[in-house]
Amino acid sequence: MKVLAAMSGGVDSAVAAALAVEQGHDVVGVHMALSKNREQTRNGSRGCCTVEDASDARRAADHIGIPYYVWDLSNDFHDLVVEDFLSEYSRGRTPNPCVRCNERIKFAALMDRARLLGFDAVCTGHYASVRNEGPGGARSLHRSANMHKDQSYVLAVMGPEGLARSVFPLGGFADKAEVRAEADRRGLGVGHKPDSYDICFIPDGDTRGFLERELGAQPGEIVDVDGRVLGEHSGTYGYTVGQRKGLNLGRPAPDGKPRYVLDVKPDTRQVIVGAAELLSTRTLVASEVVPFEDLDSGREVEAQIRAHGEAIPGVITDVEPGDDSASAIAGLTVELSRPIRGVAPGQTLVLYSGDRVLASATLDSRA
């Protein structure tokens, strides 16, 4: 196959590209320049898509012996990921920018360009496995052998069409140390480069500061479930359901127990806080469903709402048909076997059957 290898400049994508070549594919490397700040530099593990990362990707491609290009996708990234992030927080929701980047940049914008240039598939260094274990032997997305690094959760939004044109060579590696050792063995030069973490476009890790700079101060009240004012805030976007730290209420609750964010209401500029037990729910309601196979009421699933959170057993209790086609799903409801805390609108819900991804969706509410 003719394969376009997305090369971030890190060890994972470099080893993935090398393995794709070893598997006999005709590989071309490409680095996606996502930051509008061309002078942005890396600070240890913080930040990505920097000038250092582009240089590291070029050196790796040269060593592997494949053509290498830099594609400027910074406008797409800003419009489709950063602006979405700001919009969701301003609406009192909790987005996952990595999911949006995978959906709209790596497996939409990048894949569209690859297809137009005649590539059969896109190769990345994500930790996930692809098999043919779906209904009728269909191509299916599975968790990685390395559960600590598994990225099937953030990849699930690509859907079956994206999966059909994707290659994930690292899915069988059980440990990141094995990948680093593979990079050293091949002389790729990035075997000991730190992993990037946090949100790539907020390299200092200060999400609240970033939101305040971009959205401006929008002061309001922090109240309890009875409406009593407990404190003030500079913007509801600085809070998310389940948050405990940073409330700065100044005095403890009457029972002495910690208080958590229960709800965020941008329209009234209120942040509602209360006891931990009020955070729990067993019912998940979601829309924007991306199914990998047909889903029906009564189907047993495992539901995960965070990238590295626990998958909790449950049952689909309602499926709302979509208007696009007979098989489209507009929304669904899942009843969990036990309560879960910190469910926030805007979070990504991924449903599994064992280690196989069944669907991705966006949480709307909790009951």
Side-chain angles (χ1 to χ4, degrees):
M1 287 196 303
K2 189 175 181 181
V3 173
L4 184 71
M7 302 185 70
S8 67
V11 60
D12 295 329
S13 60
V15 170
L19 290 172
V21 171
E22 189 174 89
Q23 291 165 2
H25 300 303
D26 179 9
V27 180
V28 173
V30 62
H31 178 79
M32 292 178 286
L34 303 181
S35 174
K36 286 181 173 290
N37 179 10
R38 293 292 181 263
E39 304 303 317
Q40 179 176 314
T41 58
R42 173 180 279 268
N43 180 15
S45 295
R46 293 191 182 276
C48 68
C49 310
T50 65
V51 291
E52 295 99 325
D53 293 317
S55 296
D56 288 343
R58 178 178 295 279
R59 282 191 289 269
D62 288 344
H63 186 80
I64 296 168
I66 59 175
Y68 171 82
Y69 301 92
V70 175
W71 287 358
D72 184 354
L73 296 177
S74 58
N75 287 332
D76 289 343
F77 183 78
H78 182 268
D79 293 344
L80 300 175
V81 179
V82 180
E83 287 296 335
D84 174 81
F85 181 82
L86 294 171
S87 174
E88 287 288 273
Y89 265 106
S90 69
R91 295 167 57 201
R93 294 164 65 87
T94 304
N96 186 318
C98 293
V99 171
R100 289 291 169 258
C101 184
N102 279 312
E103 175 191 12
R104 299 173 179 178
I105 303 300
K106 295 174 182 175
F107 297 103
L110 181 65
M111 195 166 281
D112 284 346
R113 291 192 183 196
R115 179 178 51 81
L116 290 172
L117 291 171
F119 288 92
D120 301 302
V122 168
C123 167
T124 74
H126 286 100
Y127 286 81
S129 297
V130 180
R131 304 175 199 159
N132 294 304
E133 298 180 6
R139 196 169 170 87
S140 50
L141 176 64
H142 296 255
R143 293 190 185 277
S144 166
N146 183 349
M147 283 298 295
H148 293 292
K149 297 289 289 183
D150 174 56
Q151 291 173 296
S152 61
Y153 173 89
V154 296
L155 292 173
V157 74
M158 76 168 68
E161 291 186 6
L163 183 63
R165 301 173 63 87
S166 300
V167 177
F168 306 124
L170 303 188
F173 284 82
D175 189 272
K176 181 62 176 271
E178 296 177 11
V179 179
R180 294 191 182 280
E182 186 72 16
D184 289 341
R185 185 180 71 80
R186 294 173 180 271
L188 291 175
V190 289
H192 299 281
K193 184 175 181 177
D195 290 339
S196 60
Y197 61 88
D198 289 331
I199 301 171
C200 67
F201 53 87
I202 311 178
D204 63 1
D206 183 8
T207 300
R208 182 180 288 186
F210 172 80
L211 291 168
E212 186 162 354
R213 289 192 299 273
E214 295 295 322
L215 299 175
Q218 300 175 17
E221 298 173 335
I222 300 176
V223 302
D224 64 16
V225 292
D226 296 317
R228 288 187 290 264
V229 177
L230 304 178
E232 298 179 344
H233 63 78
S234 59
T236 56
Y237 48 72
Y239 301 83
T240 186
V241 173
Q243 179 178 330
R244 173 185 173 185
K245 296 181 179 179
L247 300 183
N248 299 319
L249 297 179
R251 62 182 186 275
D255 60 5
K257 294 181 180 180
R259 285 174 289 207
Y260 297 79
V261 175
L262 303 179
D263 200 359
V264 178
K265 295 184 176 297
D267 52 342
T268 59
R269 295 192 178 184
Q270 286 185 322
V271 175
I272 301 172
V273 300
E277 53 266 25
L278 299 178
L279 279 172
S280 297
T281 183
R282 292 179 57 178
T283 305
L284 305 178
V285 181
S287 59
E288 300 178 28
V289 183
V290 181
F292 283 79
E293 56 189 77
D294 291 337
L295 298 175
D296 298 308
S297 294
R299 176 73 178 269
E300 294 185 353
V301 298
E302 290 89 48
Q304 185 171 327
I305 66 168
R306 297 180 182 88
H308 296 289
E310 181 185 5
I312 299 176
V315 177
I316 298 175
T317 58
D318 183 62
V319 176
E320 179 186 351
D323 298 328
D324 296 338
S325 69
S327 62
I329 299 175
L332 55 79
T333 302
V334 177
E335 189 73 16
L336 302 176
S337 62
R338 56 183 172 81
I340 187 173
R341 282 174 48 177
V343 176
Q347 287 178 310
T348 298
L349 167 67
V350 176
L351 302 180
Y352 292 85
S353 175
D355 71 349
R356 187 173 87 250
V357 173
L358 299 178
S360 170
T362 300
L363 288 170
D364 289 331
S365 62
R366 59 194 181 97

